Amino acid sequence: MSTFSEFLQVAPVAPEVMAPSLWLIIALPLLGAFICGVFGKMLGRANVHLVACSAVAGAFVLSVLAFWATSSMDLESRRLLSFIVNPFGNERDYVRYAIAHDYGTWFSVGDFRVNFGLMVDHLSGILLLVITGVGFLIHLYSTSYMEHDEAYWRFFAYLNLFVAAMLTLVLADNLVLLFVGWEGVGMASYLLIGFWYTDPAKAWAGRKAFVTNRIGDFAFLIATFLMVLMVGAFNRQADERDYTAAGSTSQRYASALEDKGPVTFLGLQKFAEAMPEGGAGKVDLSTTIAAGPLEGYTFGGVMTVALLLFLLGAAGKSAQLPLYVWLPDAMAGPTPVSALIHAATMVTAGVYLFSRMSALLVLSPTAMATVAIIGALTSLLAALIAFAQDDIKKVLAYSTVSQLGIMFMGVGMGIFWAAVLHLVTHAFFKACLFLGAGSVMHGNGDETDIKKLGGLRHEMKWTWGTFFVATLAITGIIPLSGFFSKDAIFHGVHHNHLAGLHWVSSAVYYLGLLIAACTAFYMTRVYLLTFEGPRSKEAKVAHAHESAWQMTLPLVVLAVLSVVASVYAWPLLKAPGDGRPQPVFENFLSPVFAAMNRVVATGKTVELDTSVPTLGDYGFAWLVAVSGGALAAFLYLRFFPSRAGQPAPAYARAVRRAAQNKFYVDELYELAIIRPIKFMSFILFRVVDALLIDTVAVRGTAWVTARVGSALRYVQSGDAQAYAAVMALALLGGVAYALIQVLQ
């Protein structure tokens, strides 16, 4: 074991060699997208598959090397080799378990600048492996799933572009570069969701996703501007005690601001460490900003507003209230797109953003409570809608919204490591479920209605086995990964408390238990109607067929990962300092969240509980999951079949109809927001643009000029005698005027 442990601690590529090459992780899929998009038609199907898959596989290998390099040690001296000097901190302020490289100034405007800097630590390293690893499996799956599509080259170009954008988001060491990746995945998702753009419904779904995300992205930009203004105000008002509290000096911090810019994550961490109330410095959250656009507002008030705007941005990408409505419609794209968007990449961006900015988030209990409550309400709403959906992909889509809500509950209550762990485990079992749904469709004539399937257990054994494992994982059955990651969040939510808002933890926890039972119910329903029982009489094909190995192999790998990933939630390690039992993943991410813990220790904004669940806690959580699944099994195996042909009660039909129509949220948005905006746009078009601008201003000016020109052209007759007469009269008039002036 020690030999294996030593093997893992010595990276094949030294950190100082790997760091300057981080750009290649983004460049490979970007190059693949360019080759497939420009030359794909000429290369042919097999070569496009080779280029697209190789690009992501290469990025995966580089990600493994980068991830390995973040924990590299010198075995003889037991000295850690993977660290970077924090330019915003003291001279000996090292960021441990991280590699980074600054490629220089990207752009600068006045005293504001942004560098092109990339960084890999344990948080971004884990995300790199998930994006490229699961992304490669989805690419491999797509080679068979899209084998009959004529625009295969365009599809793989978009897939590679999507992966490159997400890698940019994760690797960025500052908010502006992260926003480039943020926008990149938004654009690529628009292209992929509307891939079959000749179908108006599918093109509309792509536009809906694009427009909804733009709302959140606008909030993200405003929040970023507020952060820039706050950092500038802090740097002007703070004294040396503030910098000392943050582990820095005024000279070092100002120099780093000049060299790196105000939106670098390491700089924002130092800013956060200086801000808690109760510190020894001059500036804290209650301090009023003295000058600039924010003059008169307190740092704490502006911080809360900025974090709430970041929440709106995250709600767009991660499909939370009120901007979740685009994600279920994203099913219009090919199934591998659904797996990529829902599992490995885009929708996890909001959770990653708040985890990366955890030190800032814990400064505002109000913002944390809002994040947790929004997550809980979104999760419950999506779970209730999923009850009545018959489209297998729609059920999984609402399931994703619900699971993301659980992650937001964890983030909002300060249990960041568990939220990230659930992000990882969810990537495995949700990708397995979506790809399994694609395999079901592939073998059943593209049928998506679960009531027209049934009996697939014996005809598609590989798809059935992997879908069954993934269903158990998301349902929360011991010993699969979904049980442990979800329970870690609920345990933290229950035992952590926000300052002045103690009621939030209890409210969110009990909503979480209800959500867990709902998840077990609708996932058991999907599984039973699809794979168990007799074959539906309305099935498109009499007998289903199993998919090719390119589709089943990724399913098997993801199902295995859904099981083995549970080890990361086990308390196998001891916490540094007090020696308490600590889950592997919490220990692994502790360097990333060290700044957050220091802010909490100073500001007392959150009471962080560090206990691990007991066997009783595990048993209770297991009973909740089993109760939901057992109810679904009873209803769909015994109760409903025994009442076949009998009409359901009127109230039951009404409830089902409301859930099936998504509680009319889309219709409410149409009535309250979209129609008024369309009407206002119509007025602006007809009155302002067409009448005032086009008719009065533009055409009116042209009409006046034309009429004046028509009158004046009669003066230009070309008759020399007439010109001479006019000149004589003008001269005579001038002489008469001169004489009058002289006589006066």
Side-chain angles (χ1 to χ4, degrees), residues 411-457:
V411 165
M413 294 306 298
I415 186 82
F416 293 98
W417 72 267
V420 177
L421 177 60
H422 196 56
L423 183 159
V424 174
T425 60
H426 177 262
F428 297 149
F429 55 69
K430 184 51 64 68
C432 187
L433 288 168
F434 264 113
L435 297 183
S439 181
V440 167
M441 292 164 58
H442 196 68
N444 289 272
D446 286 332
E447 181 61 75
T448 60
D449 191 336
I450 54 177
K451 292 186 174 179
K452 297 179 181 179
L453 294 169
L456 297 182
R457 176 177 180 178

Side-chain angles (χ1 to χ4, degrees), residues 458-480:
H458 305 290
E459 298 179 339
M460 304 181 71
K461 291 186 177 179
W462 287 102
T463 303
W464 160 73
T466 53
F467 198 96
F468 179 65
V469 169
T471 301
L472 293 180
I474 192 174
T475 297
I477 300 298
I478 295 176
L480 283 83

Side-chain angles (χ1 to χ4, degrees), residues 97 101 128 153 175 187 273 300 343 348 382 446 468 500 538 544 646 706:
Y97 300 101
H101 192 76
L128 287 181
W153 53 275
L175 270 174
M187 180 190 69
E273 288 183 61
T348 59
D446 286 332
F468 179 65
E538 300 177 67
Q646 299 180 30

Side-chain angles (χ1 to χ4, degrees), residues 563 607 647 702:
V563 178
E607 296 175 25

Side-chain angles (χ1 to χ4, degrees), residues 131-299:
I131 294 163
T132 54
V134 178
F136 172 74
L137 294 175
I138 292 170
H139 275 70
L140 176 62
Y141 179 98
S142 301
T143 59
S144 176
Y145 189 88
M146 301 294 289
E147 62 184 346
H148 300 301
D149 199 289
E150 290 300 319
Y152 61 91
W153 53 275
R154 185 163 54 88
F155 177 80
F156 281 99
Y158 293 166
L159 276 191
N160 271 195
L161 182 64
F162 195 110
V163 171
M166 192 65 197
L167 291 171
T168 304
L169 190 157
V170 168
L171 281 168
D173 76 345
N174 62 76
L175 270 174
V176 176
L177 186 56
L178 182 146
F179 186 71
V180 171
W182 191 273
E183 288 296 283
V185 291
M187 180 190 69
S189 67
Y190 162 72
L191 296 172
L192 285 166
I193 294 166
F195 178 73
W196 289 312
Y197 58 84
T198 52
D199 183 334
K202 292 178 171 57
W204 176 84
R207 291 197 303 274
K208 182 178 182 181
F210 190 79
V211 172
T212 307
N213 272 276
R214 296 295 72 72
I215 298 169
D217 296 348
F218 184 62
F220 186 112
L221 277 177
I222 298 173
T224 303
F225 299 152
L226 290 177
M227 294 306 304
V228 172
L229 292 172
M230 273 196 294
V231 169
F234 168 77
N235 198 42
R236 288 190 299 270
Q237 292 180 229
D239 64 13
E240 203 60 44
R241 293 171 298 166
D242 293 294
Y243 296 106
T244 302
S248 183
T249 65
S250 57
Q251 185 178 358
R252 290 273 296 178
Y253 190 82
S255 175
L257 275 184
E258 187 177 340
D259 292 341
K260 303 283 186 182
V263 289
T264 305
F265 291 126
L266 293 177
L268 292 175
Q269 279 186 5
K270 289 297 179 187
F271 168 64
E273 288 183 61
M275 293 307 295
E277 295 183 18
K282 174 185 175 184
V283 176
D284 61 21
L285 293 172
S286 60
T287 304
T288 302
I289 296 173
L294 301 178
E295 182 180 354
Y297 296 98
T298 63
F299 280 96

